[in-house]
Amino acid sequence: MRDVSKLFPRGSKPVDKKITVLTCYDFMFARILEDSGVDCLLVGDTLGVVYQGQPTTLPVTLDEMIYHAKAVRRGAPNTFVVVDLPFLSYQVSLEEGIRSAGKVMKESGCDAVKFEGGGPEILELIYKLERIGIPVMGHIGLTPQSVNVFGGHKIQGKAEEDKARLISEAKGISDAGAFSIVFELIPSALAKEISESVPIPTIGIGAGAATDGQVLVIYDFLGLNKGFKPKFLKTFLNGYDDVSSAVKNYIQEVRNGSFPGPEHSH
């Protein structure tokens, strides 16, 4: 078990260095990310969209999350791994949430779980899990499992009442015992205000530069998700075109007989 307090120190603001987080869903990418020095891997329920091709994260199951988390842990045995609890694996009851979190921890070998929201039931679940030894990362702002309530992927916290709610949720999540909070799609000024008001590290995605760390979806980060270009995203590789070019070269060489050559033959 990797020490959560070293990577996500409570009460140390600002953190010594920005925390780097990337989503990951498989062994090969996990190995690359660990070897490259990423601080934390998030096995996100975003796999429903970017890996399975679903329109939202809602269809993802708990067993699917565990399957992917086990692969990531094998590829990155020394990196801090957080696993999302998927839709309806923790909202039905406190007991169900505890059972789901415990199942993920026991079967995947991960270091922590993450789930969305900051209402009273969620805060109680965080409190209970922390006291039985399951570290929790919170998530507020645009919470994809509630996309049907929000009416799409829209920036949260523009209205004063929404701003006040997010501030209250963040403080509640921190007080309940979470070790970190993800801010998704909230105005940068609000993210800065909340980050400075809570004693735990904050991780942003579409929340500006004032958070204590950043997270991106790996396929978006690598430019593999063709046509997906939200304002907050910077692509660090032209992955779609590079892979497509390699595939076209392979097709051409197979068809013209230049591959396999003598050097590739036994």
Side-chain angles (χ1 to χ4, degrees), residues 45 129 176:
D45 59 358
L129 291 177

Side-chain angles (χ1 to χ4, degrees), residues 44 50 201 204-205:
V50 299
I205 176 166

Side-chain angles (χ1 to χ4, degrees), residues 224 226 238-251:
L224 291 165
K226 185 179 182 181
N238 191 15
Y240 185 95
D241 288 342
D242 289 346
V243 172
S244 179
S245 177
V247 172
K248 289 174 181 177
N249 287 338
Y250 166 75
I251 292 169

Side-chain angles (χ1 to χ4, degrees), residues 45 47-49 52 54 56-62 64-65 86-87:
D45 59 358
L47 68 87
V49 177
Q52 298 178 343
Q54 305 279 7
T56 71
T57 64
L58 302 185
V60 178
T61 68
L62 190 67
E64 287 171 340
M65 293 304 305
F87 182 61

